[in-house]
């Protein structure tokens, strides 16, 4: 366990922050929170960002969860996929992909509000956007390099399709947030890899 923590310290740190935050909100509100309670602890709602300039919600929303099943599914998914991607991307790139995925998860929803006034009554929370960001990251590696990355991505395609279907079928789950995280993770990884390849060419 100690050796695993040292190798996958970013993933373990993210898991710990999510679990600690959930324990805090559980003590404060109970195992499940209402939408307004979610707002009070940093959940994302576009009105609070637009009118009160509470931009921190673009990040803090990723760490709050609305129930035991919500936190369990997200942390379990992060545990499985996060370790794989932390090993592949290494620490610096992994952190960048995570942060970009966090922001793009909520930013896409905010843009929908700005453009079409959608989501005024919704409250978003959860680390699942980052999980989708890591899926997008693996897809980017698959597109750029094929080989083992394509094999790994094919292994999770059915799960990704199922998660996207659930995002459509269950109204309380944000399809836009999931797609936003996935796109953010894809773009971040694609750009980082292209920058690295340019550096290698300059050195050579």
């Amino acid at each position: 366990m100690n050796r695993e923590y040292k190798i996958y310290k970013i993933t373990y740190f993210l898991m710990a922050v999510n679990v600690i935050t959930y324990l805090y909100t559980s003590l404060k509100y109970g195992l499940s929170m209402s939408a307004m309670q979610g707002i009070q602890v940093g959940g994302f709602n576009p009105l609070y960002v637009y009118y009160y300039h509470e931009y921190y919600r673009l990040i803090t929303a990723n760490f709050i969860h609305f129930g035991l099943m919500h936190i369990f599914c997200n942390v379990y998914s992060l545990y499985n996929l996060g370790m794989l991607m932390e090993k592949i991307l290494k620490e610096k790139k992994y952190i960048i992909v995570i942060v970009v995925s966090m922001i793009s998860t909520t930013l896409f929803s905010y843009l929908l509000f700005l453009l079409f006034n959608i989501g005024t009554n919704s409250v978003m929370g959860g680390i699942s956007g980052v999980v989708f960001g890591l899926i997008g990251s693996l897809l980017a590696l698959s597109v750029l390099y094929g080989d083992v990355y394509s094999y790994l991505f094919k292994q999770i395609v059915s799960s990704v399709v199922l998660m996207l279907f659930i995002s459509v079928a269950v109204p309380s789950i944000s399809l836009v947030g999931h797609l936003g995280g996935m796109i953010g993770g894809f773009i971040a990884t694609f750009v980082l890899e292209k920058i690295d390849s340019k550096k290698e060419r300059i050195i050579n």
Side-chain angles (χ1 to χ4, degrees), residues 69-89:
M69 187 57 69
H70 191 202
I71 181 73
F72 174 79
C73 290
N74 283 353
V75 170
Y76 181 73
S77 298
L78 181 62
Y79 174 80
N80 285 311
L81 189 57
M83 288 187 175
L84 171 67
M85 295 310 296
E86 185 168 0
K87 187 172 184 179
I88 291 172
L89 294 172

Side-chain angles (χ1 to χ4, degrees), residues 18 35 45 51 53 58 71-72 83 86-87 92 101 108 110 116 121 146-147 155 172 175-176 183 191 193 199 202:
N18 276 273
N45 176 276
Y51 288 108
H53 309 295
L58 295 171
I71 181 73
F72 174 79
M83 288 187 175
E86 185 168 0
K87 187 172 184 179
K92 185 179 178 180
S101 299
F108 270 66
Y110 187 55
F116 308 109
N121 297 318
D147 198 29
Q155 301 308 301
S172 60
L175 174 64
V176 174
I183 292 169
V191 170
E193 291 300 316
K199 285 180 180 177
I202 291 170

Side-chain angles (χ1 to χ4, degrees), residues 128-154:
S128 55
V130 170
V131 173
F132 271 89
L134 297 177
I135 292 170
S137 178
L138 183 57
L139 177 59
L141 294 174
S142 176
V143 170
L144 287 168
Y145 307 120
D147 198 29
V148 67
Y149 301 113
S150 293
Y151 172 79
L152 289 171
F153 187 76
K154 287 174 183 176

Side-chain angles (χ1 to χ4, degrees), residues 1-203:
M1 177 69 175
N2 186 46
R3 187 167 177 270
E4 263 198 358
Y5 171 75
K6 289 179 179 178
I7 298 172
Y8 308 112
K9 56 186 176 183
I10 307 302
T11 301
Y12 272 105
F13 175 76
L14 273 179
M15 290 166 58
V17 172
N18 276 273
V19 170
I20 291 169
T21 302
Y22 181 69
L23 290 174
Y24 167 75
T25 58
S26 294
L27 290 171
K28 190 176 178 69
Y29 302 118
L31 294 179
S32 296
M33 289 191 297
S34 67
M36 283 310 300
Q37 288 168 341
I39 285 289
Q40 290 170 20
V41 290
F44 172 80
N45 176 276
L47 297 176
Y48 284 78
V49 177
Y50 185 78
Y51 288 108
Y52 304 116
H53 309 295
E54 296 177 353
Y55 299 107
Y56 65 85
R57 294 182 182 275
L58 295 171
I59 293 291
T60 56
N62 291 274
F63 297 106
I64 69 163
H65 291 81
F66 289 94
L68 191 58
M69 187 57 69
H70 191 202
I71 181 73
F72 174 79
C73 290
N74 283 353
V75 170
Y76 181 73
S77 298
L78 181 62
Y79 174 80
N80 285 311
L81 189 57
M83 288 187 175
L84 171 67
M85 295 310 296
E86 185 168 0
K87 187 172 184 179
I88 291 172
L89 294 172
K90 307 306 179 189
E91 188 173 304
K92 185 179 178 180
K93 286 183 184 177
Y94 186 60
I95 291 172
I96 292 172
V97 169
I98 285 172
V99 173
V100 171
S101 299
M102 283 182 178
I103 295 171
S104 63
T105 295
T106 45
L107 188 59
F108 270 66
S109 295
Y110 187 55
L111 290 175
L112 276 183
F113 162 75
L114 293 176
L115 294 171
F116 308 109
N117 201 35
I118 294 173
T120 55
N121 297 318
S122 66
V123 179
M124 182 186 294
I127 201 73
S128 55
V130 170
V131 173
F132 271 89
L134 297 177
I135 292 170
S137 178
L138 183 57
L139 177 59
L141 294 174
S142 176
V143 170
L144 287 168
Y145 307 120
D147 198 29
V148 67
Y149 301 113
S150 293
Y151 172 79
L152 289 171
F153 187 76
K154 287 174 183 176
Q155 301 308 301
I156 65 170
V157 163
S158 58
S159 297
V160 174
V161 172
L162 177 60
M163 287 189 288
L164 288 174
F165 172 76
I166 292 172
S167 300
V168 174
V170 181
S172 60
I173 297 177
S174 174
L175 174 64
V176 174
H178 287 171
L179 290 176
M182 192 171 183
I183 292 169
F186 180 92
I187 293 174
T189 303
F190 196 92
V191 170
L192 287 169
E193 291 300 316
K194 286 296 183 181
I195 291 172
D196 267 5
S197 66
K198 285 184 178 179
K199 285 180 180 177
E200 287 175 8
R201 284 198 293 273
I202 291 170
I203 290 169

